[in-house]
Amino acid sequence: MKRVGKQTWLFDEGVYIQAAAAAVGPLEADGPLGKYFDICYRDLYCGEKTWELAERRLMREAVGRCLQKAGVSAEEVDLFLAGDLLNQQATSNYVARELPIPFLCLFGACSTSMQTLAAAAALVAGGLADRALTATSSHNATAERQFRYPTELGVQKPKTATFTVTGAGAALIGRTPGRWRIRAATIGKVIDAGLTNPLDMGAAMAPAAADTIEQHFRDLGASPSDYDLIVTGDLSRVGSVIVRELLAEAGYDVSEMYNDCGLMIYRPDQKVFAGGSGCACSAVVTYGYLLHELARGAFRRLFVVATGALLSQTMVQQKQSIPAIAHGVVIEAAGQEPDGPRSGGM
Amino acid sequence: MGLRTDYLREVKAFQPSPPYAANAGKAFLVGGALCALAQWLANWYGGTFATSALEAHLWASIVMAGLAIGLTAVGKYDDISQFAGAGATMLLTGLANALASAAIEHRSEGWMAGVGGQMLKAGGAAIIYGVIAAYVLGLFWP
Amino acid sequence: MEYVRAFLAGGLVCVIAQLLIDRGRWTPAGVASLLVVLGVILGFGGVYDRWVASVGAGAMLPLSGLGYVFAKGVMVGPPPSGLVATGGAVFRFAGALLAFMVAGSFAAALICKPKG
């Protein structure tokens, strides 16, 4: 493991995703990626009494299914890293309460999926853990009632608004060679472009995503064509166009291989405004669909850049602008030659 | 010119503006229709047991508010508001929806801190400023 | 004909509110408060009485109607004097609406969970 350039970690020693799992709610199960998710709930309450308990169940089920797929018991895991959107990270802390694993809680808003994955990979590569488990979750109703309004309140949302994904993703990182290898991670800086509208988070987060992607290319001397897919977390219809434009202005043309998880998870006719968002958006798309495509051979190397709007209800009400962050992780189909012709600076 | 030179200004080209005319049209039609329905109710009450025009209108308003609370309870009023915008939110029915939605939402936190404590969180401002204005002006009236 | 007047008047208020939100970047809570306070002021000014007489529910059902009802409580009968009488009078008619909405919302919370 070494640092390359300013913000990028390169994992030479072989850090693998041993297993991953995704649990989702009804709208996501009904979306185009529905068949790739391990656990689908037909009811937004997931059989629980409150929205918060439903989110907790999603994360607990994703973690359980992930460990089951890896054939590893919780006792054999050395570290658990998780985060979510609720105040005081309620979902993660309460799920960790049920696990006999040392726990680090991380907050990166919707960037938590790649934040925890990057941190876990570094800790495993550094020998501080043999196996590290990561998880993140979000729930449409818990996010609505905490960050916005009661779920049944009549509010006409604009086209720029995003729709929080209901779901949870979990991944187990270890050194045993597996199907997916974590090659690199780029840790983002907090970027605040000065936007204040919490109903347009795509535009607020796009500069952070562009900054991390550019930095990644610079640190590694890589170019967009080194990747089969560069995917952002939840920039949605508004932010994904902006990030493409920002990168084009910096001389990087990503139009061939760029997509956004918030656009992939729902069908265009589902009523989700500009697209999906939330911690679970990048987590379930990556751990459910993208890893499946890597294993199948559809992609060889992808760069997942999870984007987070570090939104605080109080700060927004005090007219403060919205800081944003993006963390990227490069995941490769294992068994590929790491120094193949298309590997660029890696 | 580009996004990198002045993001706050240039980004506006990427942010879709609301469909002003369509939103206004939908607000007009739904808001107008709800008012016409309330007028029908007021006429009915006026023709039966209401003793004054004001009382008939209050009856009509209460029935409309009850309707809104019912639609909120079954999870439909938010859909109507998404379609009609101000045509559904800026009526008394919208205020009823604000109270009922907060009450229903926070029953998971119990009857005191949840339903009782949070009921006015969405609709409280309109009531509070109405009371303040009426009380202060009322002290000096006529 | 009175239905048409109610429709047009109510619709017009909603259009103005919609434009304040869409174009003027007002918050919905701000517009709602503005309507109520305008109803109070126009109510005391006597203008809203004539507006109600002419368009009926088109004036009563928009939130400005709630403001008017606040004012109307003070304006009916002998003018109240002092903090006690005025405070009670504010709720003379508006109390009917508020009590029903609060109790109705409580009843809804008794039997329903949010649907999401």
PDB file of all heavy atoms in Angstrom, chain A residues 92-120:
ATOM      1  N   SER A  92     -26.365   2.789  12.038  1.00  0.00           N
ATOM      2  CA  SER A  92     -25.093   2.072  12.129  1.00  0.00           C
ATOM      3  C   SER A  92     -24.782   1.678  13.562  1.00  0.00           C
ATOM      4  O   SER A  92     -24.369   0.547  13.841  1.00  0.00           O
ATOM      5  CB  SER A  92     -23.970   2.952  11.599  1.00  0.00           C
ATOM      6  OG  SER A  92     -24.278   3.389  10.311  1.00  0.00           O
ATOM      7  N   ASN A  93     -24.962   2.623  14.482  1.00  0.00           N
ATOM      8  CA  ASN A  93     -24.623   2.332  15.872  1.00  0.00           C
ATOM      9  C   ASN A  93     -25.484   1.200  16.433  1.00  0.00           C
ATOM     10  O   ASN A  93     -25.004   0.361  17.183  1.00  0.00           O
ATOM     11  CB  ASN A  93     -24.803   3.588  16.728  1.00  0.00           C
ATOM     12  CG  ASN A  93     -23.714   4.606  16.438  1.00  0.00           C
ATOM     13  OD1 ASN A  93     -22.589   4.243  16.173  1.00  0.00           O
ATOM     14  ND2 ASN A  93     -24.061   5.883  16.452  1.00  0.00           N
ATOM     15  N   TYR A  94     -26.763   1.204  16.051  1.00  0.00           N
ATOM     16  CA  TYR A  94     -27.642   0.171  16.606  1.00  0.00           C
ATOM     17  C   TYR A  94     -27.404  -1.180  15.941  1.00  0.00           C
ATOM     18  O   TYR A  94     -27.609  -2.215  16.573  1.00  0.00           O
ATOM     19  CB  TYR A  94     -29.112   0.606  16.493  1.00  0.00           C
ATOM     20  CG  TYR A  94     -29.516   1.544  17.603  1.00  0.00           C
ATOM     21  CD1 TYR A  94     -29.125   2.881  17.592  1.00  0.00           C
ATOM     22  CD2 TYR A  94     -30.258   1.090  18.687  1.00  0.00           C
ATOM     23  CE1 TYR A  94     -29.471   3.741  18.616  1.00  0.00           C
ATOM     24  CE2 TYR A  94     -30.615   1.949  19.716  1.00  0.00           C
ATOM     25  CZ  TYR A  94     -30.220   3.274  19.686  1.00  0.00           C
ATOM     26  OH  TYR A  94     -30.563   4.117  20.697  1.00  0.00           O
ATOM     27  N   VAL A  95     -26.994  -1.177  14.685  1.00  0.00           N
ATOM     28  CA  VAL A  95     -26.637  -2.454  14.061  1.00  0.00           C
ATOM     29  C   VAL A  95     -25.333  -2.968  14.675  1.00  0.00           C
ATOM     30  O   VAL A  95     -25.199  -4.156  14.981  1.00  0.00           O
ATOM     31  CB  VAL A  95     -26.513  -2.308  12.529  1.00  0.00           C
ATOM     32  CG1 VAL A  95     -25.874  -3.547  11.920  1.00  0.00           C
ATOM     33  CG2 VAL A  95     -27.886  -2.079  11.913  1.00  0.00           C
ATOM     34  N   ALA A  96     -24.377  -2.045  14.904  1.00  0.00           N
ATOM     35  CA  ALA A  96     -23.094  -2.438  15.492  1.00  0.00           C
ATOM     36  C   ALA A  96     -23.290  -3.016  16.900  1.00  0.00           C
ATOM     37  O   ALA A  96     -22.535  -3.879  17.336  1.00  0.00           O
ATOM     38  CB  ALA A  96     -22.153  -1.240  15.544  1.00  0.00           C
ATOM     39  N   ARG A  97     -24.313  -2.518  17.589  1.00  0.00           N
ATOM     40  CA  ARG A  97     -24.636  -3.012  18.933  1.00  0.00           C
ATOM     41  C   ARG A  97     -24.893  -4.518  18.927  1.00  0.00           C
ATOM     42  O   ARG A  97     -24.638  -5.210  19.898  1.00  0.00           O
ATOM     43  CB  ARG A  97     -25.891  -2.263  19.396  1.00  0.00           C
ATOM     44  CG  ARG A  97     -26.452  -2.643  20.729  1.00  0.00           C
ATOM     45  CD  ARG A  97     -27.639  -1.777  21.052  1.00  0.00           C
ATOM     46  NE  ARG A  97     -28.840  -2.180  20.304  1.00  0.00           N
ATOM     47  CZ  ARG A  97     -30.047  -1.727  20.563  1.00  0.00           C
ATOM     48  NH1 ARG A  97     -30.229  -0.822  21.497  1.00  0.00           N
ATOM     49  NH2 ARG A  97     -31.088  -2.134  19.867  1.00  0.00           N
ATOM     50  N   GLU A  98     -25.391  -5.000  17.796  1.00  0.00           N
ATOM     51  CA  GLU A  98     -25.737  -6.420  17.718  1.00  0.00           C
ATOM     52  C   GLU A  98     -24.565  -7.273  17.241  1.00  0.00           C
ATOM     53  O   GLU A  98     -24.695  -8.486  17.137  1.00  0.00           O
ATOM     54  CB  GLU A  98     -26.916  -6.604  16.740  1.00  0.00           C
ATOM     55  CG  GLU A  98     -28.149  -5.803  17.146  1.00  0.00           C
ATOM     56  CD  GLU A  98     -29.130  -5.621  15.989  1.00  0.00           C
ATOM     57  OE1 GLU A  98     -28.892  -6.196  14.898  1.00  0.00           O
ATOM     58  OE2 GLU A  98     -30.126  -4.907  16.189  1.00  0.00           O
ATOM     59  N   LEU A  99     -23.436  -6.631  16.893  1.00  0.00           N
ATOM     60  CA  LEU A  99     -22.326  -7.387  16.316  1.00  0.00           C
ATOM     61  C   LEU A  99     -21.139  -7.427  17.270  1.00  0.00           C
ATOM     62  O   LEU A  99     -20.802  -6.425  17.901  1.00  0.00           O
ATOM     63  CB  LEU A  99     -21.876  -6.737  14.996  1.00  0.00           C
ATOM     64  CG  LEU A  99     -22.885  -6.755  13.844  1.00  0.00           C
ATOM     65  CD1 LEU A  99     -22.413  -5.856  12.721  1.00  0.00           C
ATOM     66  CD2 LEU A  99     -23.100  -8.169  13.345  1.00  0.00           C
ATOM     67  N   PRO A 100     -20.465  -8.587  17.371  1.00  0.00           N
ATOM     68  CA  PRO A 100     -19.315  -8.693  18.274  1.00  0.00           C
ATOM     69  C   PRO A 100     -18.027  -8.244  17.575  1.00  0.00           C
ATOM     70  O   PRO A 100     -17.018  -8.936  17.609  1.00  0.00           O
ATOM     71  CB  PRO A 100     -19.270 -10.193  18.577  1.00  0.00           C
ATOM     72  CG  PRO A 100     -19.784 -10.829  17.324  1.00  0.00           C
ATOM     73  CD  PRO A 100     -20.767  -9.875  16.709  1.00  0.00           C
ATOM     74  N   ILE A 101     -18.084  -7.076  16.941  1.00  0.00           N
ATOM     75  CA  ILE A 101     -16.957  -6.627  16.113  1.00  0.00           C
ATOM     76  C   ILE A 101     -16.578  -5.205  16.535  1.00  0.00           C
ATOM     77  O   ILE A 101     -17.464  -4.369  16.694  1.00  0.00           O
ATOM     78  CB  ILE A 101     -17.346  -6.607  14.614  1.00  0.00           C
ATOM     79  CG1 ILE A 101     -18.055  -7.906  14.201  1.00  0.00           C
ATOM     80  CG2 ILE A 101     -16.122  -6.371  13.743  1.00  0.00           C
ATOM     81  CD1 ILE A 101     -18.561  -7.905  12.788  1.00  0.00           C
ATOM     82  N   PRO A 102     -15.268  -4.933  16.706  1.00  0.00           N
ATOM     83  CA  PRO A 102     -14.854  -3.538  16.968  1.00  0.00           C
ATOM     84  C   PRO A 102     -15.390  -2.636  15.859  1.00  0.00           C
ATOM     85  O   PRO A 102     -15.387  -3.016  14.687  1.00  0.00           O
ATOM     86  CB  PRO A 102     -13.326  -3.608  16.936  1.00  0.00           C
ATOM     87  CG  PRO A 102     -13.001  -5.026  17.250  1.00  0.00           C
ATOM     88  CD  PRO A 102     -14.110  -5.852  16.697  1.00  0.00           C
ATOM     89  N   PHE A 103     -15.818  -1.432  16.252  1.00  0.00           N
ATOM     90  CA  PHE A 103     -16.620  -0.637  15.322  1.00  0.00           C
ATOM     91  C   PHE A 103     -16.076   0.778  15.183  1.00  0.00           C
ATOM     92  O   PHE A 103     -15.769   1.449  16.157  1.00  0.00           O
ATOM     93  CB  PHE A 103     -18.053  -0.597  15.859  1.00  0.00           C
ATOM     94  CG  PHE A 103     -18.982   0.312  15.105  1.00  0.00           C
ATOM     95  CD1 PHE A 103     -19.160   0.163  13.732  1.00  0.00           C
ATOM     96  CD2 PHE A 103     -19.685   1.314  15.765  1.00  0.00           C
ATOM     97  CE1 PHE A 103     -20.025   0.996  13.036  1.00  0.00           C
ATOM     98  CE2 PHE A 103     -20.550   2.147  15.078  1.00  0.00           C
ATOM     99  CZ  PHE A 103     -20.709   1.989  13.721  1.00  0.00           C
ATOM    100  N   LEU A 104     -15.960   1.219  13.929  1.00  0.00           N
ATOM    101  CA  LEU A 104     -15.671   2.617  13.647  1.00  0.00           C
ATOM    102  C   LEU A 104     -16.832   3.172  12.856  1.00  0.00           C
ATOM    103  O   LEU A 104     -17.191   2.634  11.810  1.00  0.00           O
ATOM    104  CB  LEU A 104     -14.381   2.758  12.821  1.00  0.00           C
ATOM    105  CG  LEU A 104     -13.054   2.616  13.540  1.00  0.00           C
ATOM    106  CD1 LEU A 104     -11.917   2.666  12.532  1.00  0.00           C
ATOM    107  CD2 LEU A 104     -12.880   3.723  14.576  1.00  0.00           C
ATOM    108  N   CYS A 105     -17.413   4.260  13.360  1.00  0.00           N
ATOM    109  CA  CYS A 105     -18.540   4.868  12.669  1.00  0.00           C
ATOM    110  C   CYS A 105     -18.010   6.005  11.804  1.00  0.00           C
ATOM    111  O   CYS A 105     -17.240   6.836  12.268  1.00  0.00           O
ATOM    112  CB  CYS A 105     -19.527   5.397  13.703  1.00  0.00           C
ATOM    113  SG  CYS A 105     -21.075   5.851  12.997  1.00  0.00           S
ATOM    114  N   LEU A 106     -18.397   6.013  10.542  1.00  0.00           N
ATOM    115  CA  LEU A 106     -17.907   7.054   9.637  1.00  0.00           C
ATOM    116  C   LEU A 106     -19.102   7.813   9.067  1.00  0.00           C
ATOM    117  O   LEU A 106     -20.132   7.216   8.756  1.00  0.00           O
ATOM    118  CB  LEU A 106     -17.112   6.438   8.488  1.00  0.00           C
ATOM    119  CG  LEU A 106     -15.845   5.666   8.856  1.00  0.00           C
ATOM    120  CD1 LEU A 106     -15.178   5.124   7.604  1.00  0.00           C
ATOM    121  CD2 LEU A 106     -14.876   6.538   9.613  1.00  0.00           C
ATOM    122  N   PHE A 107     -18.946   9.121   8.918  1.00  0.00           N
ATOM    123  CA  PHE A 107     -20.007   9.880   8.260  1.00  0.00           C
ATOM    124  C   PHE A 107     -19.448  10.584   7.036  1.00  0.00           C
ATOM    125  O   PHE A 107     -18.479  11.331   7.124  1.00  0.00           O
ATOM    126  CB  PHE A 107     -20.605  10.924   9.207  1.00  0.00           C
ATOM    127  CG  PHE A 107     -21.681  11.744   8.543  1.00  0.00           C
ATOM    128  CD1 PHE A 107     -22.945  11.205   8.364  1.00  0.00           C
ATOM    129  CD2 PHE A 107     -21.425  13.010   8.074  1.00  0.00           C
ATOM    130  CE1 PHE A 107     -23.936  11.932   7.737  1.00  0.00           C
ATOM    131  CE2 PHE A 107     -22.415  13.746   7.448  1.00  0.00           C
ATOM    132  CZ  PHE A 107     -23.671  13.204   7.276  1.00  0.00           C
ATOM    133  N   GLY A 108     -20.047  10.341   5.915  1.00  0.00           N
ATOM    134  CA  GLY A 108     -19.689  11.057   4.697  1.00  0.00           C
ATOM    135  C   GLY A 108     -20.929  11.341   3.889  1.00  0.00           C
ATOM    136  O   GLY A 108     -20.866  11.480   2.680  1.00  0.00           O
ATOM    137  N   ALA A 109     -22.079  11.415   4.596  1.00  0.00           N
ATOM    138  CA  ALA A 109     -23.376  11.533   3.928  1.00  0.00           C
ATOM    139  C   ALA A 109     -23.462  10.436   2.857  1.00  0.00           C
ATOM    140  O   ALA A 109     -23.110   9.294   3.136  1.00  0.00           O
ATOM    141  CB  ALA A 109     -23.577  12.922   3.366  1.00  0.00           C
ATOM    142  N   CYS A 110     -23.851  10.791   1.652  1.00  0.00           N
ATOM    143  CA  CYS A 110     -24.067   9.746   0.651  1.00  0.00           C
ATOM    144  C   CYS A 110     -22.755   9.219   0.085  1.00  0.00           C
ATOM    145  O   CYS A 110     -22.754   8.344  -0.782  1.00  0.00           O
ATOM    146  CB  CYS A 110     -24.961  10.268  -0.450  1.00  0.00           C
ATOM    147  SG  CYS A 110     -26.387  11.123   0.203  1.00  0.00           S
ATOM    148  N   SER A 111     -21.610   9.745   0.533  1.00  0.00           N
ATOM    149  CA  SER A 111     -20.332   9.192   0.078  1.00  0.00           C
ATOM    150  C   SER A 111     -19.860   8.065   0.999  1.00  0.00           C
ATOM    151  O   SER A 111     -18.780   7.519   0.804  1.00  0.00           O
ATOM    152  CB  SER A 111     -19.271  10.294   0.030  1.00  0.00           C
ATOM    153  OG  SER A 111     -18.871  10.648   1.339  1.00  0.00           O
ATOM    154  N   THR A 112     -20.652   7.745   2.007  1.00  0.00           N
ATOM    155  CA  THR A 112     -20.223   6.786   3.024  1.00  0.00           C
ATOM    156  C   THR A 112     -19.859   5.422   2.442  1.00  0.00           C
ATOM    157  O   THR A 112     -18.971   4.745   2.962  1.00  0.00           O
ATOM    158  CB  THR A 112     -21.330   6.631   4.090  1.00  0.00           C
ATOM    159  OG1 THR A 112     -21.684   7.933   4.549  1.00  0.00           O
ATOM    160  CG2 THR A 112     -20.857   5.820   5.269  1.00  0.00           C
ATOM    161  N   SER A 113     -20.540   5.013   1.373  1.00  0.00           N
ATOM    162  CA  SER A 113     -20.271   3.679   0.829  1.00  0.00           C
ATOM    163  C   SER A 113     -18.801   3.555   0.441  1.00  0.00           C
ATOM    164  O   SER A 113     -18.131   2.594   0.823  1.00  0.00           O
ATOM    165  CB  SER A 113     -21.174   3.400  -0.369  1.00  0.00           C
ATOM    166  OG  SER A 113     -20.938   4.361  -1.380  1.00  0.00           O
ATOM    167  N   MET A 114     -18.287   4.522  -0.323  1.00  0.00           N
ATOM    168  CA  MET A 114     -16.904   4.421  -0.768  1.00  0.00           C
ATOM    169  C   MET A 114     -15.940   4.887   0.315  1.00  0.00           C
ATOM    170  O   MET A 114     -14.791   4.463   0.362  1.00  0.00           O
ATOM    171  CB  MET A 114     -16.695   5.218  -2.057  1.00  0.00           C
ATOM    172  CG  MET A 114     -17.407   4.617  -3.248  1.00  0.00           C
ATOM    173  SD  MET A 114     -16.955   2.868  -3.535  1.00  0.00           S
ATOM    174  CE  MET A 114     -18.534   2.057  -3.395  1.00  0.00           C
ATOM    175  N   GLN A 115     -16.411   5.761   1.207  1.00  0.00           N
ATOM    176  CA  GLN A 115     -15.585   6.172   2.342  1.00  0.00           C
ATOM    177  C   GLN A 115     -15.249   4.956   3.215  1.00  0.00           C
ATOM    178  O   GLN A 115     -14.083   4.736   3.562  1.00  0.00           O
ATOM    179  CB  GLN A 115     -16.347   7.212   3.169  1.00  0.00           C
ATOM    180  CG  GLN A 115     -15.580   7.765   4.352  1.00  0.00           C
ATOM    181  CD  GLN A 115     -16.478   8.581   5.267  1.00  0.00           C
ATOM    182  OE1 GLN A 115     -17.688   8.354   5.338  1.00  0.00           O
ATOM    183  NE2 GLN A 115     -15.895   9.538   5.966  1.00  0.00           N
ATOM    184  N   THR A 116     -16.265   4.170   3.540  1.00  0.00           N
ATOM    185  CA  THR A 116     -16.017   2.992   4.380  1.00  0.00           C
ATOM    186  C   THR A 116     -15.219   1.947   3.611  1.00  0.00           C
ATOM    187  O   THR A 116     -14.345   1.289   4.181  1.00  0.00           O
ATOM    188  CB  THR A 116     -17.336   2.368   4.872  1.00  0.00           C
ATOM    189  OG1 THR A 116     -18.202   2.156   3.753  1.00  0.00           O
ATOM    190  CG2 THR A 116     -18.034   3.261   5.867  1.00  0.00           C
ATOM    191  N   LEU A 117     -15.498   1.807   2.307  1.00  0.00           N
ATOM    192  CA  LEU A 117     -14.772   0.802   1.518  1.00  0.00           C
ATOM    193  C   LEU A 117     -13.293   1.169   1.421  1.00  0.00           C
ATOM    194  O   LEU A 117     -12.412   0.310   1.589  1.00  0.00           O
ATOM    195  CB  LEU A 117     -15.392   0.690   0.124  1.00  0.00           C
ATOM    196  CG  LEU A 117     -14.942  -0.486  -0.735  1.00  0.00           C
ATOM    197  CD1 LEU A 117     -15.367  -1.806  -0.098  1.00  0.00           C
ATOM    198  CD2 LEU A 117     -15.511  -0.391  -2.143  1.00  0.00           C
ATOM    199  N   ALA A 118     -12.998   2.441   1.188  1.00  0.00           N
ATOM    200  CA  ALA A 118     -11.606   2.883   1.080  1.00  0.00           C
ATOM    201  C   ALA A 118     -10.886   2.705   2.414  1.00  0.00           C
ATOM    202  O   ALA A 118      -9.764   2.192   2.470  1.00  0.00           O
ATOM    203  CB  ALA A 118     -11.560   4.351   0.641  1.00  0.00           C
ATOM    204  N   ALA A 119     -11.538   3.103   3.499  1.00  0.00           N
ATOM    205  CA  ALA A 119     -10.917   2.985   4.811  1.00  0.00           C
ATOM    206  C   ALA A 119     -10.682   1.518   5.163  1.00  0.00           C
ATOM    207  O   ALA A 119      -9.614   1.147   5.676  1.00  0.00           O
ATOM    208  CB  ALA A 119     -11.800   3.657   5.869  1.00  0.00           C
ATOM    209  N   ALA A 120     -11.664   0.670   4.858  1.00  0.00           N
ATOM    210  CA  ALA A 120     -11.519  -0.757   5.162  1.00  0.00           C
ATOM    211  C   ALA A 120     -10.368  -1.351   4.361  1.00  0.00           C
ATOM    212  O   ALA A 120      -9.554  -2.121   4.887  1.00  0.00           O
ATOM    213  CB  ALA A 120     -12.828  -1.488   4.855  1.00  0.00           C
TER     214      ALA A 120
END
